Short mmCIF file of all heavy atoms in Angstrom, two decimals:
data_model
loop_
_atom_site.label_atom_id
_atom_site.label_comp_id
_atom_site.label_asym_id
_atom_site.label_seq_id
_atom_site.Cartn_x
_atom_site.Cartn_y
_atom_site.Cartn_z
N ARG A 328 -5.98 -2.61 6.87
CA ARG A 328 -5.03 -3.62 7.09
C ARG A 328 -5.51 -4.54 8.11
O ARG A 328 -6.27 -4.06 9.05
CB ARG A 328 -3.80 -3.05 7.45
CG ARG A 328 -3.65 -2.25 8.76
CD ARG A 328 -2.40 -1.41 8.86
NE ARG A 328 -1.25 -2.37 8.92
CZ ARG A 328 0.04 -2.10 8.47
NH1 ARG A 328 0.33 -0.90 8.16
NH2 ARG A 328 0.95 -2.92 8.57
N ASP A 329 -5.20 -5.82 8.10
CA ASP A 329 -5.48 -6.73 9.17
C ASP A 329 -4.21 -7.42 9.50
O ASP A 329 -3.56 -8.17 8.96
CB ASP A 329 -6.52 -7.91 8.53
CG ASP A 329 -6.93 -8.77 9.57
OD1 ASP A 329 -6.28 -9.00 10.59
OD2 ASP A 329 -7.84 -9.45 9.37
N ASN A 330 -3.62 -6.79 10.60
CA ASN A 330 -2.35 -7.23 10.95
C ASN A 330 -2.14 -8.65 11.33
O ASN A 330 -1.24 -9.35 11.13
CB ASN A 330 -1.75 -6.22 12.00
CG ASN A 330 -1.21 -4.89 11.57
OD1 ASN A 330 -1.15 -4.76 10.44
ND2 ASN A 330 -1.07 -3.94 12.49
N PRO A 331 -3.14 -9.25 12.15
CA PRO A 331 -3.04 -10.73 12.42
C PRO A 331 -3.04 -11.56 11.23
O PRO A 331 -2.50 -12.65 11.28
CB PRO A 331 -4.31 -10.85 13.33
CG PRO A 331 -4.56 -9.59 13.89
CD PRO A 331 -4.25 -8.66 12.86
N LYS A 332 -3.71 -11.06 10.17
CA LYS A 332 -3.60 -11.84 8.94
C LYS A 332 -2.45 -11.51 7.99
O LYS A 332 -2.33 -12.07 6.94
CB LYS A 332 -4.99 -11.75 8.23
CG LYS A 332 -6.14 -12.29 8.79
CD LYS A 332 -7.42 -12.19 8.02
CE LYS A 332 -8.60 -12.92 8.65
NZ LYS A 332 -9.89 -12.85 7.79
N ASN A 333 -1.78 -10.45 8.50
CA ASN A 333 -0.46 -10.01 7.62
C ASN A 333 -1.02 -9.53 6.21
O ASN A 333 -0.24 -9.93 5.23
CB ASN A 333 0.49 -11.11 7.52
CG ASN A 333 1.78 -10.74 8.36
OD1 ASN A 333 1.72 -9.80 9.10
ND2 ASN A 333 2.80 -11.33 8.03
N THR A 334 -2.08 -8.86 6.17
CA THR A 334 -2.63 -8.49 4.89
C THR A 334 -3.11 -7.00 4.95
O THR A 334 -3.62 -6.61 5.83
CB THR A 334 -3.83 -9.43 4.48
OG1 THR A 334 -3.40 -10.78 4.58
CG2 THR A 334 -4.35 -9.12 3.01
N VAL A 335 -2.98 -6.49 3.71
CA VAL A 335 -3.34 -5.07 3.47
C VAL A 335 -4.37 -5.14 2.30
O VAL A 335 -4.10 -6.01 1.35
CB VAL A 335 -2.20 -4.13 3.27
CG1 VAL A 335 -2.78 -2.82 2.83
CG2 VAL A 335 -1.25 -4.06 4.46
N TYR A 336 -5.33 -4.24 2.34
CA TYR A 336 -6.46 -4.52 1.22
C TYR A 336 -6.50 -3.00 0.69
O TYR A 336 -6.36 -1.79 1.27
CB TYR A 336 -7.76 -4.68 2.06
CG TYR A 336 -7.82 -5.99 2.62
CD1 TYR A 336 -7.59 -6.03 4.03
CD2 TYR A 336 -7.82 -7.25 2.00
CE1 TYR A 336 -7.58 -7.34 4.72
CE2 TYR A 336 -7.87 -8.54 2.63
CZ TYR A 336 -7.66 -8.47 4.01
OH TYR A 336 -7.59 -9.69 4.72
N LEU A 337 -7.03 -3.04 -0.52
CA LEU A 337 -7.45 -1.74 -1.18
C LEU A 337 -8.83 -2.03 -1.76
O LEU A 337 -8.98 -2.70 -2.89
CB LEU A 337 -6.40 -1.35 -2.30
CG LEU A 337 -6.75 -0.02 -2.91
CD1 LEU A 337 -6.52 1.04 -2.01
CD2 LEU A 337 -6.00 0.19 -4.10
N GLN A 338 -9.84 -1.50 -1.14
CA GLN A 338 -11.29 -1.59 -1.73
C GLN A 338 -11.49 -0.41 -2.67
O GLN A 338 -11.21 0.78 -2.43
CB GLN A 338 -12.18 -1.49 -0.56
CG GLN A 338 -13.65 -1.49 -0.97
CD GLN A 338 -14.16 -2.89 -1.71
OE1 GLN A 338 -13.76 -3.78 -1.09
NE2 GLN A 338 -14.80 -2.78 -2.82
N MET A 339 -11.79 -0.76 -3.97
CA MET A 339 -11.81 0.10 -4.97
C MET A 339 -13.29 0.20 -5.57
O MET A 339 -13.81 -0.91 -5.95
CB MET A 339 -10.84 -0.10 -6.22
CG MET A 339 -9.41 -0.29 -5.73
SD MET A 339 -8.33 -0.57 -7.22
CE MET A 339 -8.95 -2.12 -7.71
N ASN A 340 -14.01 1.21 -5.29
CA ASN A 340 -15.37 1.42 -5.81
C ASN A 340 -15.45 2.39 -6.79
O ASN A 340 -14.70 3.24 -6.99
CB ASN A 340 -16.31 1.80 -4.51
CG ASN A 340 -16.42 0.77 -3.42
OD1 ASN A 340 -16.17 -0.48 -3.62
ND2 ASN A 340 -16.51 1.17 -2.27
N SER A 341 -16.62 2.50 -7.46
CA SER A 341 -16.89 3.50 -8.60
C SER A 341 -15.76 3.59 -9.47
O SER A 341 -15.10 4.62 -9.96
CB SER A 341 -17.24 4.88 -7.89
OG SER A 341 -18.30 4.76 -7.05
N LEU A 342 -15.29 2.37 -9.91
CA LEU A 342 -14.05 2.36 -10.77
C LEU A 342 -14.34 3.02 -12.18
O LEU A 342 -15.38 3.05 -12.80
CB LEU A 342 -13.59 0.95 -10.99
CG LEU A 342 -12.91 0.46 -9.76
CD1 LEU A 342 -12.88 -1.19 -10.02
CD2 LEU A 342 -11.40 0.96 -9.77
N LYS A 343 -13.21 3.82 -12.71
CA LYS A 343 -13.27 4.51 -13.83
C LYS A 343 -12.20 3.92 -14.84
O LYS A 343 -11.19 3.21 -14.32
CB LYS A 343 -12.88 5.90 -13.67
CG LYS A 343 -13.78 6.66 -12.67
CD LYS A 343 -13.25 8.01 -12.37
CE LYS A 343 -14.11 8.66 -11.39
NZ LYS A 343 -13.61 10.07 -11.01
N PRO A 344 -12.32 4.09 -16.09
CA PRO A 344 -11.39 3.50 -17.10
C PRO A 344 -10.01 4.10 -16.80
O PRO A 344 -8.99 3.24 -17.03
CB PRO A 344 -11.94 3.96 -18.46
CG PRO A 344 -13.40 4.08 -18.30
CD PRO A 344 -13.63 4.52 -16.83
N GLU A 345 -9.86 5.24 -16.39
CA GLU A 345 -8.56 5.80 -16.01
C GLU A 345 -7.88 5.16 -14.79
O GLU A 345 -6.75 5.47 -14.35
CB GLU A 345 -8.67 7.31 -15.81
CG GLU A 345 -9.69 7.79 -14.77
CD GLU A 345 -11.03 8.23 -15.64
OE1 GLU A 345 -11.43 7.60 -16.52
OE2 GLU A 345 -11.61 9.31 -15.14
N ASP A 346 -8.63 4.18 -13.99
CA ASP A 346 -8.00 3.43 -13.06
C ASP A 346 -7.37 2.27 -13.54
O ASP A 346 -6.57 1.57 -12.74
CB ASP A 346 -9.09 3.14 -12.09
CG ASP A 346 -9.76 4.23 -11.30
OD1 ASP A 346 -9.05 5.15 -10.92
OD2 ASP A 346 -10.98 4.19 -11.10
N THR A 347 -7.34 2.00 -14.78
CA THR A 347 -6.67 0.87 -15.36
C THR A 347 -5.17 0.98 -15.26
O THR A 347 -4.55 1.97 -15.69
CB THR A 347 -7.01 0.72 -16.85
OG1 THR A 347 -8.46 0.44 -16.98
CG2 THR A 347 -6.29 -0.40 -17.51
N ALA A 348 -4.59 -0.06 -14.60
CA ALA A 348 -3.21 0.06 -14.45
C ALA A 348 -2.74 -1.21 -13.68
O ALA A 348 -3.63 -1.91 -13.28
CB ALA A 348 -2.72 1.19 -13.42
N VAL A 349 -1.53 -1.44 -13.53
CA VAL A 349 -0.93 -2.59 -12.58
C VAL A 349 -0.83 -1.92 -11.28
O VAL A 349 -0.27 -0.87 -11.14
CB VAL A 349 0.37 -2.93 -13.22
CG1 VAL A 349 0.92 -4.02 -12.13
CG2 VAL A 349 0.29 -3.62 -14.54
N TYR A 350 -1.39 -2.60 -10.31
CA TYR A 350 -1.27 -2.07 -8.95
C TYR A 350 -0.27 -2.82 -8.12
O TYR A 350 -0.24 -4.06 -8.09
CB TYR A 350 -2.77 -2.20 -8.34
CG TYR A 350 -3.65 -1.14 -8.80
CD1 TYR A 350 -4.13 -1.18 -10.05
CD2 TYR A 350 -4.15 -0.12 -7.90
CE1 TYR A 350 -5.04 -0.17 -10.60
CE2 TYR A 350 -4.93 0.80 -8.41
CZ TYR A 350 -5.49 0.90 -9.77
OH TYR A 350 -6.33 1.77 -10.20
N TYR A 351 0.50 -2.06 -7.41
CA TYR A 351 1.51 -2.60 -6.60
C TYR A 351 1.44 -2.26 -5.03
O TYR A 351 0.99 -1.15 -4.78
CB TYR A 351 2.91 -2.09 -7.02
CG TYR A 351 3.20 -2.42 -8.47
CD1 TYR A 351 3.02 -1.55 -9.44
CD2 TYR A 351 4.01 -3.54 -8.73
CE1 TYR A 351 3.29 -1.70 -10.83
CE2 TYR A 351 4.48 -3.78 -10.09
CZ TYR A 351 3.98 -2.97 -11.06
OH TYR A 351 4.44 -3.14 -12.29
N CYS A 352 1.60 -3.22 -4.28
CA CYS A 352 1.72 -2.81 -2.81
C CYS A 352 3.14 -2.72 -2.35
O CYS A 352 4.02 -3.39 -2.98
CB CYS A 352 0.93 -3.83 -1.91
SG CYS A 352 1.62 -5.55 -1.70
N ALA A 353 3.38 -1.88 -1.42
CA ALA A 353 4.82 -1.55 -1.14
C ALA A 353 4.74 -1.44 0.44
O ALA A 353 3.82 -1.08 1.19
CB ALA A 353 5.22 -0.34 -1.61
N GLY A 354 5.92 -1.81 1.09
CA GLY A 354 6.08 -1.89 2.63
C GLY A 354 7.34 -1.18 3.01
O GLY A 354 8.46 -1.09 2.29
N LYS A 355 7.35 -0.63 4.17
CA LYS A 355 8.62 -0.10 4.82
C LYS A 355 8.52 -0.43 6.19
O LYS A 355 7.59 -0.01 6.98
CB LYS A 355 8.79 1.42 4.51
CG LYS A 355 9.96 1.98 5.28
CD LYS A 355 10.22 3.47 4.95
CE LYS A 355 11.37 3.93 5.68
NZ LYS A 355 12.65 3.43 5.17
N ALA A 356 9.45 -1.12 6.80
CA ALA A 356 9.63 -1.37 8.19
C ALA A 356 10.05 0.01 8.90
O ALA A 356 10.94 0.66 8.50
CB ALA A 356 10.70 -2.33 8.48
N ILE A 357 9.18 0.42 9.86
CA ILE A 357 9.34 1.66 10.49
C ILE A 357 8.92 1.60 11.99
O ILE A 357 8.10 0.80 12.36
CB ILE A 357 8.51 2.77 9.71
CG1 ILE A 357 8.82 4.11 10.21
CG2 ILE A 357 7.04 2.39 9.94
CD1 ILE A 357 9.87 4.69 9.42
N TYR A 358 9.69 2.31 12.70
CA TYR A 358 9.35 2.41 14.18
C TYR A 358 8.11 3.20 14.47
O TYR A 358 7.28 2.71 15.35
CB TYR A 358 10.52 3.11 14.95
CG TYR A 358 10.35 3.15 16.39
CD1 TYR A 358 10.31 1.97 17.25
CD2 TYR A 358 9.94 4.35 16.98
CE1 TYR A 358 10.18 2.09 18.56
CE2 TYR A 358 9.69 4.39 18.39
CZ TYR A 358 9.77 3.21 19.19
OH TYR A 358 9.64 3.39 20.53
N SER A 359 7.95 4.33 13.77
CA SER A 359 6.74 5.12 14.11
C SER A 359 5.49 4.42 13.77
O SER A 359 5.31 3.86 12.68
CB SER A 359 6.86 6.51 13.17
OG SER A 359 5.69 7.14 13.22
N ILE A 360 4.53 4.55 14.67
CA ILE A 360 3.24 3.88 14.39
C ILE A 360 2.33 4.87 13.44
O ILE A 360 1.18 4.33 13.09
CB ILE A 360 2.50 3.51 15.58
CG1 ILE A 360 2.13 4.71 16.38
CG2 ILE A 360 3.38 2.50 16.48
CD1 ILE A 360 1.31 4.54 17.58
N SER A 361 2.61 6.04 13.32
CA SER A 361 1.83 6.91 12.51
C SER A 361 2.33 7.34 11.12
O SER A 361 1.69 7.97 10.41
CB SER A 361 1.56 8.19 13.32
OG SER A 361 2.83 8.87 13.67
N TRP A 362 3.60 7.02 10.84
CA TRP A 362 4.21 7.43 9.66
C TRP A 362 3.61 6.56 8.47
O TRP A 362 3.15 5.42 8.48
CB TRP A 362 5.68 7.06 9.56
CG TRP A 362 6.47 7.41 8.44
CD1 TRP A 362 7.10 8.69 8.12
CD2 TRP A 362 6.60 6.68 7.26
NE1 TRP A 362 7.66 8.58 6.90
CE2 TRP A 362 7.44 7.46 6.28
CE3 TRP A 362 6.24 5.31 6.93
CZ2 TRP A 362 7.75 6.86 5.11
CZ3 TRP A 362 6.70 4.83 5.61
CH2 TRP A 362 7.30 5.60 4.79
N PHE A 363 3.47 7.33 7.33
CA PHE A 363 3.22 6.75 6.06
C PHE A 363 3.86 7.44 5.03
O PHE A 363 4.18 8.69 5.04
CB PHE A 363 1.68 6.69 5.78
CG PHE A 363 0.94 7.99 5.83
CD1 PHE A 363 1.00 8.81 4.77
CD2 PHE A 363 0.24 8.35 6.90
CE1 PHE A 363 0.38 10.05 4.74
CE2 PHE A 363 -0.38 9.67 7.01
CZ PHE A 363 -0.32 10.50 5.88
N GLY A 364 4.16 6.74 3.98
CA GLY A 364 4.94 7.46 2.72
C GLY A 364 3.94 7.56 1.55
O GLY A 364 3.04 6.86 1.25
N VAL A 365 4.27 8.59 0.77
CA VAL A 365 3.50 8.92 -0.44
C VAL A 365 4.42 8.84 -1.73
O VAL A 365 3.90 9.01 -2.92
CB VAL A 365 2.78 10.24 -0.32
CG1 VAL A 365 1.79 10.26 0.81
CG2 VAL A 365 3.70 11.25 -0.40
N SER A 366 5.58 8.55 -1.55
CA SER A 366 6.52 8.42 -2.71
C SER A 366 7.02 7.03 -2.82
O SER A 366 7.30 6.40 -1.79
CB SER A 366 7.69 9.45 -2.54
OG SER A 366 8.65 9.16 -3.51
N SER A 367 7.20 6.61 -4.15
CA SER A 367 7.80 5.26 -4.21
C SER A 367 9.06 5.01 -3.58
O SER A 367 9.41 3.93 -3.15
CB SER A 367 7.79 4.98 -5.68
OG SER A 367 8.69 5.73 -6.37
N THR A 368 9.83 6.05 -3.44
CA THR A 368 11.28 6.03 -2.83
C THR A 368 11.05 5.89 -1.31
O THR A 368 12.13 5.50 -0.66
CB THR A 368 12.07 7.19 -3.23
OG1 THR A 368 11.40 8.37 -2.81
CG2 THR A 368 12.41 7.20 -4.68
N ASP A 369 9.97 6.08 -0.78
CA ASP A 369 9.84 5.91 0.68
C ASP A 369 9.78 4.42 1.11
O ASP A 369 9.97 4.07 2.27
CB ASP A 369 8.50 6.39 1.20
CG ASP A 369 8.42 7.93 1.09
OD1 ASP A 369 9.55 8.53 1.07
OD2 ASP A 369 7.40 8.57 0.83
N TYR A 370 9.49 3.54 0.17
CA TYR A 370 9.30 2.15 0.48
C TYR A 370 10.43 1.14 0.04
O TYR A 370 11.10 1.38 -0.93
CB TYR A 370 8.02 1.68 -0.27
CG TYR A 370 6.86 2.27 0.32
CD1 TYR A 370 6.29 3.48 -0.28
CD2 TYR A 370 6.15 1.79 1.42
CE1 TYR A 370 5.32 4.21 0.41
CE2 TYR A 370 5.11 2.43 2.03
CZ TYR A 370 4.62 3.59 1.53
OH TYR A 370 3.53 4.23 2.05
N ASP A 371 10.68 0.21 0.92
CA ASP A 371 11.83 -0.74 0.60
C ASP A 371 11.20 -2.12 -0.07
O ASP A 371 12.10 -2.75 -0.68
CB ASP A 371 12.42 -1.07 2.03
CG ASP A 371 12.91 0.09 2.62
OD1 ASP A 371 13.47 0.91 1.90
OD2 ASP A 371 12.78 0.32 3.83
N TYR A 372 10.04 -2.49 0.22
CA TYR A 372 9.61 -3.82 -0.33
C TYR A 372 8.48 -3.61 -1.22
O TYR A 372 7.59 -2.81 -1.12
CB TYR A 372 9.11 -4.66 0.95
CG TYR A 372 10.00 -4.76 2.11
CD1 TYR A 372 9.62 -4.15 3.26
CD2 TYR A 372 11.25 -5.32 1.83
CE1 TYR A 372 10.59 -4.30 4.33
CE2 TYR A 372 12.20 -5.42 3.02
CZ TYR A 372 11.75 -4.88 4.17
OH TYR A 372 12.70 -4.86 5.19
N TRP A 373 8.42 -4.43 -2.34
CA TRP A 373 7.50 -4.27 -3.29
C TRP A 373 6.92 -5.67 -3.77
O TRP A 373 7.67 -6.62 -3.79
CB TRP A 373 7.97 -3.67 -4.67
CG TRP A 373 8.32 -2.21 -4.37
CD1 TRP A 373 9.49 -1.63 -3.77
CD2 TRP A 373 7.39 -1.13 -4.64
NE1 TRP A 373 9.30 -0.30 -3.70
CE2 TRP A 373 8.16 0.02 -4.24
CE3 TRP A 373 6.18 -0.97 -5.12
CZ2 TRP A 373 7.49 1.39 -4.33
CZ3 TRP A 373 5.62 0.37 -5.30
CH2 TRP A 373 6.33 1.45 -4.87
N GLY A 374 5.56 -5.72 -4.19
CA GLY A 374 5.02 -6.90 -4.82
C GLY A 374 5.17 -6.96 -6.24
O GLY A 374 5.82 -5.92 -6.67
N GLN A 375 4.70 -7.89 -6.86
CA GLN A 375 4.90 -8.09 -8.32
C GLN A 375 3.93 -7.32 -9.12
O GLN A 375 3.93 -7.15 -10.23
CB GLN A 375 4.99 -9.63 -8.64
CG GLN A 375 3.69 -10.22 -8.87
CD GLN A 375 2.79 -10.46 -7.59
OE1 GLN A 375 3.35 -10.31 -6.48
NE2 GLN A 375 1.57 -10.69 -7.60
#
């Protein structure tokens, strides 16, 4: 992530056919600086 640019990245190398999908980014406003979520229900905001 680059917070000053308000952007998050996903660098994908050694791609495989099974990586084919629609990729979505998601966000959750949170107080904790160390928290992260691994379930879709953890997040409040979604891209298209």
Side-chain angles (χ1 to χ4, degrees):
R328 63 191 300 154
D329 187 335
N330 284 344
K332 292 186 177 180
N333 249 18
T334 303
V335 175
Y336 303 98
L337 184 68
Q338 177 66 44
M339 306 186 295
N340 298 330
S341 301
L342 283 161
K343 304 175 181 179
E345 51 263 44
D346 294 317
T347 295
V349 176
Y350 283 71
Y351 299 89
C352 67
K355 180 178 178 65
I357 191 86
Y358 179 77
S359 168
I360 62 170
S361 60
W362 181 91
F363 55 81
V365 299
S366 169
S367 60
T368 57
D369 291 331
Y370 293 90
D371 301 317
Y372 310 114
W373 291 86
Q375 83 291 346

